[in-house]
Amino acid sequence: MINQEQPTPRRARVRAPELVGKGGWLNTGGKNLTLADLRGRCVVLDFWTFCCVNCLHVLDELRELEERHRDTVVIVGVHSPKFVHEAEHQAVVDAVERYGVEHPVLDDPELTTWKQYAVRAWPTLVVIDPEGYVVAQHAGEGHAHAIEKLVEELEAEHEAKGTLHRGDGPYVPPEPVATDLRFPGKAIRLPGGSFLVSDTTRHQLVELAADGERVLRRIGTGERGLTEDSFNEPQGLALLPDGKVAVADTVNHAIRVLDPDSGALETVAGTGKQWWQGSPTSGPAPEVDLSSPWDLAWWQDRLWIAMAGVHQLWTYDPTAGTVEVAAGTTNEGLVDGPAAEAWFAQPSGLAAAGDRLWIADSETSAVRWVEPAEAGDGYVIRTAVGTGLFDFGHRDGAAGQALLQHPLGVTALPDGSVAIADTYNHALRRFDPASGEVTTLAKDLREPSGAVLVEGDLVVVESARHRLTRLRLPEEAIRVESVAHRTQRAATEVAPGALRLEVVFQAPAGQKLDTRYGPSTRLLVSATPPELLADGAGAGTDLTRDLVLADGVTEGVLHVSAMAASCDDAPDIEYPACHVHQQDWGVPVEIAEGGVARLGLVLAGMDAE
């Protein structure tokens, strides 16, 4: 703890590089901003990409900071794409509206500013003081409280120096567009033949007539909230056996149930708070935190939940009123096997079909499924299409070599095959388990995110065209020439043999590591392929680790998951608030003579090396 009578240690400062992005600026009324334009304000750079659920969590975390310090703080989103589709300027324009981003955004499709700031992970937050110096960097989620404390210190320091300039920021809202739907997420068909659609950006559900166009009613106020008549970016929908509809109220981290007849809305699972490591993973549903539930399906007498925010599948038992984890470890990646050992990456679409539950596993560009284990005890996870976090594209043919790009939806078809809303390829694809082939059913859609089977046709949620589109299932699918991609991120060249991994974490000012119940930090390391690491994989409590890279493996991905818990450190606080900071990194590496022997990843603070 710092003695208040002693001078505060001098804060490290590095001159901030200029903000440069080939895509230009959004939410500025057409003006190109420079750091000189922002001088006198505290600037928070939010390096994000719109596919990343952790980035969406941070957008939500920053809303209160943005509002409370509107006259002194400017948040600047730096959009840094992972997928090819995310480098398209219009896609970034759409995402900024879709997720309610109310601050300037720099579109950086070539990762120019990302590289200048030596960013290694989505999301990363960088704080720049009113004189234009970088004073802090944070990776992952859970840092809003620490950044607000730092902002308050900077406000006081620069107010005293005369270098803080208060006033309106550079944000200019775009003109609203009149459409019946705005970036809809998912849809289901109600027993009467109408469609219920999650109108995600407007925080409502919309019932459309059987033609998929005429609006019959809107459900919800249209304002963000967790009340008997409000939602917060709802996504998945599922018809329950009793005729009611379950709703994945994604940003509220809750499951709601709607009675279509009366319009009554009930919260059945989730507290409204986001789940963090160490929180309960089972129990009475209204008392257990959830994390960005994205889609729902009724299967095996349970409501299955694609819990995108923690890379897992959960279930809700309406009879017992309980929730529990059904599959996944919270590690992000593609690992099959027993449900408790499997890895997922933002599962975002579910479809029940007999003894299989199909999954659109978006960040691995994969289609997977759950089925009961042969021994009759538990479930197993298998992959139909997809290889991992960094391989994607548009390639038809044998499933083992076929490629998708960030699919968000799956729909079971009568012949046992599955239709895939191949979102970032703007296509509808099909996987046939009988032939093992992937084909393309339709192209030139715009970010399809789900589809409903209706009398031999598929009604597609064409999210970025704000409509439902009806397509006849062709007898023979379109064949697409092979297009393969890898993530744009440059691999880090590392020296063969020993590699020192150091996760940098400095407790924010006024806080200390929370060691009341044991170690306050956690580090988990693995690799793709697993053979990349000869030594050093596994879990531990130290944020440094000596790794050994195996001979004969020339490239791969290091998966690093770090967590630290800190608490307010002041003797006059009887019940200090505690804060969890966590981040997962997927670091592509190439083994090369002359490469680095140390890999530094910043969770919070500044890397001295």
Side-chain angles (χ1 to χ4, degrees):
M1 184 178 71
I2 296 173
N3 187 323
Q4 297 302 311
E5 296 179 357
Q6 296 178 355
T8 302
R10 183 173 178 81
R11 188 182 296 113
R13 302 199 307 171
V14 177
R15 177 63 72 180
E18 190 54 81
L19 305 178
V20 178
K22 188 176 180 180
W25 288 87
L26 306 176
N27 285 353
T28 63
K31 180 178 180 179
N32 292 327
L33 296 181
T34 66
L35 285 176
D37 297 324
L38 304 175
R39 197 64 50 82
R41 311 293 289 273
C42 301
V43 178
V44 179
L45 302 182
D46 175 17
F47 289 87
W48 68 299
T49 189
F50 63 79
C51 72
C52 165
V53 72
N54 310 94
C55 298
L56 304 185
H57 291 166
V58 167
L59 283 176
D60 207 49
E61 287 178 7
L62 292 175
R63 293 187 201 280
E64 289 187 19
L65 172 70
E66 199 166 21
E67 183 59 37
R68 280 199 294 264
H69 298 267
R70 190 166 291 280
D71 66 335
T72 59
V73 172
V74 176
I75 295 175
V76 173
V78 182
H79 189 269
S80 313
K82 171 186 174 182
F83 290 99
V84 170
H85 168 60
E86 293 175 306
E88 296 176 15
H89 182 68
Q90 185 57 47
V92 181
V93 172
D94 289 345
V96 167
E97 180 187 353
R98 182 194 300 268
Y99 297 115
V101 179
E102 296 184 351
H103 50 247
V105 174
L106 175 65
D107 180 11
D108 184 19
E110 297 177 346
L111 303 181
T112 303
T113 295
W114 164 287
K115 294 170 185 173
Q116 286 294 310
Y117 281 82
V119 175
R120 290 185 180 273
W122 297 279
T124 290
L125 298 169
V126 175
V127 181
I128 301 172
D129 72 13
E131 294 180 285
Y133 290 89
V134 174
V135 293
Q137 181 172 325
H138 303 262
E141 305 176 49
H143 301 294
H145 180 270
I147 289 175
E148 182 156 31
K149 287 288 188 185
L150 175 57
V151 162
E152 290 170 354
E153 291 178 9
L154 292 172
E155 286 172 344
E157 175 185 338
H158 289 273
E159 189 97 76
K161 291 172 65 176
T163 49
L164 182 72
H165 302 153
R166 296 179 181 270
D168 293 334
Y171 170 66
V172 178
E175 289 294 323
V177 182
T179 53
D180 288 333
L181 301 174
R182 205 70 192 160
F183 298 104
K186 306 287 185 181
I188 58 170
R189 198 181 190 200
L190 295 175
S194 60
F195 295 94
L196 190 65
V197 184
S198 54
D199 197 20
T200 305
T201 295
R202 291 199 177 125
H203 317 296
Q204 292 180 317
L205 305 183
V206 177
E207 185 178 358
L208 299 178
D211 62 7
E213 296 182 7
R214 183 165 54 92
V215 175
L216 300 179
R217 62 171 166 164
R218 296 182 180 276
I219 302 165
T221 63
E223 301 293 329
R224 295 180 187 269
L226 183 57
T227 68
E228 61 185 16
D229 59 356
S230 64
F231 301 95
N232 196 344
E233 297 185 25
Q235 288 280 351
L237 306 167
L239 196 62
L240 300 176
D242 62 3
K244 294 181 180 179
V245 177
V247 183
D249 198 358
T250 303
V251 180
N252 274 330
H253 309 295
I255 305 300
R256 323 290 294 279
V257 169
L258 171 73
D259 185 334
D261 296 328
S262 68
L265 185 65
E266 177 188 7
T267 301
V268 297
T271 63
K273 296 179 181 178
Q274 184 184 336
W275 186 94
W276 290 97
Q277 289 287 351
S279 300
T281 55
S282 64
E287 300 174 13
V288 177
D289 298 339
L290 309 180
S291 182
S292 296
W294 209 275
D295 202 12
L296 306 169
W298 183 261
W299 186 65
Q300 299 267 315
D301 299 320
R302 298 285 190 276
L303 182 71
W304 286 68
I305 306 166
M307 203 72 76
V310 285
H311 318 299
Q312 291 180 315
L313 303 181
W314 288 42
T315 59
Y316 165 63
D317 180 349
T319 302
T322 56
V323 291
E324 64 180 354
V325 173
T329 63
T330 76
N331 295 320
E332 184 178 17
L334 194 156
V335 175
D336 288 343
E341 301 171 14
W343 292 23
F344 298 94
Q346 288 178 219
S348 302
L350 298 175
D355 62 356
R356 288 187 179 183
L357 178 68
W358 293 102
I359 308 159
D361 201 28
S362 62
E363 277 293 283
T364 52
S365 297
V367 170
R368 307 171 73 185
W369 78 86
V370 187
E371 64 183 12
E374 291 183 5
D377 182 21
Y379 297 92
V380 293
I381 312 301
R382 306 194 190 283
T383 296
V385 186
T387 57
L389 286 166
F390 297 99
D391 293 293
F392 53 90
H394 194 156
R395 179 192 288 156
D396 283 343
Q401 56 85 52
L403 293 172
L404 310 168
Q405 187 180 179
H406 199 81
L408 289 179
V410 281
T411 305
L413 300 179
D415 64 354
S417 65
V418 58
I420 307 159
D422 192 4
T423 309
Y424 287 4
N425 279 327
H426 309 299
L428 191 67
R429 312 284 292 283
R430 174 177 174 262
F431 167 65
D432 181 2
S435 67
E437 293 280 313
V438 174
T439 52
T440 297
L441 300 176
K443 298 190 295 181
D444 301 321
L445 300 168
R446 187 70 188 171
E447 293 194 13
S449 54
V452 183
L453 184 66
V454 180
E455 298 158 1
D457 294 346
L458 277 176
V459 176
V460 179
V461 181
E462 205 173 353
S463 187
R465 284 202 177 109
H466 321 293
R467 69 187 189 191
L468 302 187
T469 300
R470 190 161 182 148
L471 301 173
R472 180 159 297 281
L473 285 171
E475 293 184 9
E476 293 194 11
I478 305 164
R479 186 86 178 190
V480 174
E481 293 299 321
S482 170
V483 179
H485 302 292
R486 293 209 75 187
T487 182
Q488 295 187 49
R489 287 181 60 191
T492 299
E493 291 192 351
V494 295
L499 177 65
R500 177 74 166 173
L501 171 66
E502 295 184 0
V503 174
V504 178
F505 179 77
Q506 296 157 5
Q511 296 179 33
K512 64 179 181 180
L513 288 174
D514 178 13
T515 57
R516 292 172 298 168
Y517 307 109
S520 61
T521 56
R522 173 180 174 268
L523 181 66
L524 179 67
V525 181
S526 61
T528 303
E531 296 77 23
L532 175 66
L533 283 178
D535 193 25
T541 57
D542 195 338
L543 291 183
T544 62
R545 184 82 59 87
D546 289 315
L547 310 179
V548 178
L549 303 173
D551 293 335
V553 182
T554 59
E555 64 177 1
V557 179
L558 288 175
H559 303 284
V560 180
S561 177
M563 185 273 288
S566 61
C567 283
D568 293 341
D569 181 21
D572 57 337
I573 300 178
E574 185 176 359
Y575 300 105
C578 294
H579 313 276
V580 177
H581 317 263
Q582 65 181 47
Q583 171 64 8
D584 297 332
W585 291 267
V587 184
V589 295
E590 291 181 355
I591 315 303
E593 294 294 339
V596 298
R598 174 189 178 271
L599 179 62
L601 302 175
V602 176
L603 179 61
M606 298 283 284
D607 191 357
E609 295 189 32

